[in-house]
Amino acid sequence: MKHNIDPLLEQPLGLMLGYFSVAVLELIVFLSCFELLARYRCWQEIKRGNMAASLATGGKIFGLSNIIRYAADHPSIYDFMIWSSVGAGLLLAAYVLFEFLTPVFRIDEEIANGNTSVGFIALAVSVSVSFLIGAWVV
């Protein structure tokens, strides 16, 4: 017997639950990708009170959520999944470029050392780039 999710997605509640489930899953997956790319352990640093890590991680969460919000404008959940994943991939690429192309200091080292100024700049970059990506995915 073949099961098809499309009839469930035709109902407003089913569609909302579908978008919500995909969005939460993407947040978990892409935050895990950011955690793997960083030279510090985001959640361990936050647990020990590192405000710079908290700011940078908060910026990533906001950035991913903002991209997901823009992608949700697509009427098909399948388009939503594609565009939110592409957008999150672009945000990951921007993070790598930001880290490796900043000539003055190492972003991850400064955040691991608790430099809140760098953490705030990382937050601002994530949020700003997410708005740019959001404009492209619609």
Side-chain angles (χ1 to χ4, degrees):
M1 179 164 81
K2 183 181 176 185
H3 296 284
N4 192 344
I5 191 125
D6 288 338
L8 292 173
L9 297 174
E10 291 173 3
Q11 304 300 317
L13 182 60
L15 186 62
M16 184 203 63
L17 290 173
Y19 275 83
F20 179 76
S21 300
V22 169
V24 169
L25 181 62
E26 285 184 349
L27 276 172
I28 292 167
V29 167
F30 285 106
L31 280 173
S32 298
C33 291
F34 276 116
E35 179 83 14
L36 291 172
L37 287 174
R39 292 190 178 119
Y40 60 93
R41 302 290 53 113
C42 303
W43 299 106
Q44 288 176 358
E45 289 297 321
I46 292 169
K47 184 178 178 181
R48 69 176 195 91
N50 184 334
M51 182 58 76
S54 181
L55 288 166
T57 303
K60 293 168 190 168
I61 292 169
F62 182 94
L64 288 167
S65 297
N66 193 41
I67 291 167
I68 290 168
R69 174 253 172 270
Y70 278 105
D73 285 342
H74 290 280
S76 159
I77 195 163
Y78 305 109
D79 288 339
F80 164 69
M81 290 188 301
I82 291 167
W83 284 109
S84 57
S85 295
V86 167
L90 289 171
L91 190 63
L92 280 166
Y95 170 79
V96 170
L97 288 173
F98 177 55
E99 169 63 31
F100 294 110
L101 295 180
T102 302
V104 181
F105 48 79
R106 306 297 317 161
I107 303 295
D108 280 352
E109 283 179 22
E110 293 296 322
I111 291 172
N113 291 332
N115 186 333
T116 54
S117 296
V118 174
F120 181 78
I121 291 297
L123 176 145
V125 167
S126 293
V127 169
S128 300
V129 169
S130 78
F131 278 101
L132 296 173
I133 294 168
W136 299 327
V137 299
V138 287

